[in-house]
Amino acid sequence: MSTSPTKSTPNGLENSLKPEEERNKIDEMRKLIGPLSGKLALYCSDASISRYLAAQSWNVKKAAKMLKASLKWRLDFMPEEIRWDDVASEAETGKIYRSNYKDKHGRPVLVMRPRCQNTKSLQGQMKYLVYCLENAVVNLPEDQEQMIWLIDFHGFTLSNLSIKVTKETAHILEDYYPERLGIAILYDPPKIFEPFWKLAKPFLNPKTASKVHFMYSDDPNSKKMMEEMFDMSLVESAFGGDDKADFDVNKYAERMREDDKKLSSFWKNDDNSASNAQLTVTADPSLEPTNSDSDSEVLDEKVEKPSLDVDEEESSIEETLPGSNSTNANVKAV
């Protein structure tokens, strides 16, 4: 269990490569991915490709496979097309929102409040999560690639536990938004969260898990770390800050509708639209450039997702929590 955040490089990515070495790997990635158009071409900036490389320890073949799966998902899911009015019903309680402030590295902050969960639709919840991720990305400064998650556990109860939501959140974050998370701060999690964390942690790759930090309001070290990361005069009182204002969905809706305009401008491309964009990739990625048209084809491979039918796992959580009727509860890593 991590207790203190690690310091990040200026843009948040771990990179021991020399500039020319990174350039060569980016160029190799572009050869493997093949020609792109429209929004997919906009998405595959050098910075974006570097994130996928960093997520795969700069292994070009693995990074190319990961990026192709993301591009396929973006064609199918169209995250850049989601607007506030599409997800407003999910957002009305403030269960996830982008704060008015950033951390001292300029990283946008997504505040999450599990107690404010207001729907049961996994599809709707993930659509709203993706909207929030896209919104945070479009608000990144030019020299930053990552965001912060601040998770408020005040009022947390057993009813807020969902292994389904946790698995799908991890899947989306790690597979389709690699290296976007800088730090996730779990603030004042109760004891009943600990067995759930033991079940949920295996869903995260070790690199992501290392970014999760537990902080407590009665811990001087936690207070010091928060002060090092944020201007606490801007931070919500739930995290030890000075801002005591309640979440106002009407004011937040105004902000998001303005951000929607920014999002539309960001993805605007007069050459091609999402509807006619094609993703061409090599059938069997290698580090060698291709010379024949037959070596490229439209991507048709399926993107594997973890099954959302995990009722047995949900039951195992209940068995491990305080107050369970089971006398032989076991926590088994998935």
Side-chain angles (χ1 to χ4, degrees):
M1 181 182 296
S2 298
T3 57
S4 62
T6 56
K7 293 183 179 180
S8 62
T9 55
N11 69 358
L13 301 183
E14 295 180 4
N15 184 1
S16 59
L17 299 180
K18 295 179 180 179
E20 59 270 23
E21 293 175 328
E22 181 177 358
R23 179 72 262 169
N24 289 338
K25 287 184 178 292
I26 291 173
D27 290 343
E28 289 175 4
M29 281 275 287
R30 291 195 180 281
K31 291 177 182 178
L32 293 181
I33 296 300
L36 299 171
S37 61
K39 295 177 181 179
L40 296 186
L42 287 175
Y43 180 77
C44 289
S45 64
D46 285 355
S48 184
I49 291 175
S50 291
R51 285 191 297 105
Y52 283 83
L53 284 163
Q56 296 294 336
S57 301
W58 301 92
N59 182 301
V60 174
K61 287 185 177 181
K62 290 182 179 179
K65 181 178 180 180
M66 186 183 197
L67 177 55
K68 287 185 289 183
S70 287
L71 296 178
K72 174 65 165 58
W73 174 78
R74 294 190 75 87
L75 279 177
D76 294 339
F77 200 89
M78 295 189 292
E80 74 283 352
E81 298 295 330
I82 305 172
R83 296 295 180 265
W84 170 258
D85 290 328
D86 300 325
V87 294
S89 61
E90 290 282 344
E92 59 188 12
T93 61
K95 62 186 177 186
I96 308 177
Y97 64 89
R98 184 175 61 80
S99 69
N100 286 314
Y101 57 88
K102 295 181 179 179
D103 81 338
K104 292 182 179 180
H105 291 286
R107 294 175 288 191
V109 178
L110 289 184
V111 174
M112 302 180 176
R113 305 188 296 177
R115 71 180 183 276
C116 296
Q117 182 58 265
N118 61 327
T119 67
K120 295 183 179 180
S121 168
L122 180 60
Q123 183 178 4
Q125 291 169 19
M126 292 303 103
K127 186 174 183 179
Y128 182 51
L129 172 67
V130 168
Y131 174 80
C132 292
L133 292 172
E134 292 286 313
N135 178 267
V137 169
V138 81
N139 281 283
L140 286 166
E142 290 187 5
D143 62 344
Q144 186 54 255
E145 289 291 315
Q146 297 185 323
M147 67 187 76
I148 301 295
W149 286 10
L150 271 179
I151 307 174
D152 173 13
F153 275 90
H154 295 114
F156 182 88
T157 67
L158 296 182
S159 64
N160 302 131
L161 295 174
S162 173
I163 205 69
K164 294 180 182 180
V165 172
T166 301
K167 286 185 68 174
E168 191 66 0
T169 297
H171 168 57
I172 289 174
L173 176 67
E174 293 184 340
D175 293 353
Y176 305 142
Y177 294 88
E179 294 300 316
R180 283 300 191 194
L181 180 65
I183 298 171
I185 295 174
L186 280 58
Y187 200 85
D188 276 344
K191 286 289 185 181
I192 59 172
F193 181 75
E194 292 180 6
F196 177 79
W197 173 244
K198 290 179 181 179
L199 279 173
K201 190 175 180 179
F203 300 144
L204 305 176
N205 67 46
K207 193 171 185 180
T208 302
S210 71
K211 298 177 180 180
V212 177
H213 306 283
F214 289 69
M215 296 191 185
Y216 300 90
S217 55
D218 59 356
D219 175 32
N221 288 330
S222 294
K223 181 179 180 181
K224 180 181 178 181
M225 284 182 266
M226 289 292 290
E227 291 173 347
E228 290 175 349
M229 291 179 61
F230 303 102
D231 178 350
M232 297 303 290
S233 67
L234 305 176
V235 175
E236 295 87 344
S237 58
F239 302 108
D242 298 333
D243 184 6
K244 294 180 172 58
D246 293 329
F247 175 78
D248 187 325
V249 68
N250 294 320
K251 291 182 179 179
Y252 191 67
E254 292 177 5
R255 282 180 59 201
M256 293 301 100
R257 288 192 175 103
E258 287 301 312
D259 277 0
D260 284 352
K261 297 176 185 178
K262 188 189 303 184
L263 190 65
S264 297
S265 177
F266 179 83
W267 289 109
K268 185 177 180 181
N269 187 296
D270 295 331
D271 186 30
N272 287 286
S273 66
S275 61
N276 63 21
Q278 282 190 324
L279 172 60
T280 57
V281 299
T282 55
D284 183 16
S286 70
L287 296 182
E288 298 297 327
T290 59
N291 296 316
S292 169
D293 291 339
S294 63
D295 288 332
S296 295
E297 60 182 14
V298 177
L299 180 68
D300 59 1
E301 60 188 277
K302 294 183 179 179
V303 179
E304 295 184 0
K305 288 189 176 182
S307 171
L308 299 182
D309 185 13
V310 288
D311 292 336
E312 293 182 2
E313 292 165 346
E314 297 280 7
S315 298
S316 68
I317 294 174
E318 295 176 359
E319 293 174 353
T320 62
L321 295 174
S324 169
N325 293 326
S326 174
T327 57
N328 296 307
N330 294 310
V331 179
K332 182 178 180 180
V334 176

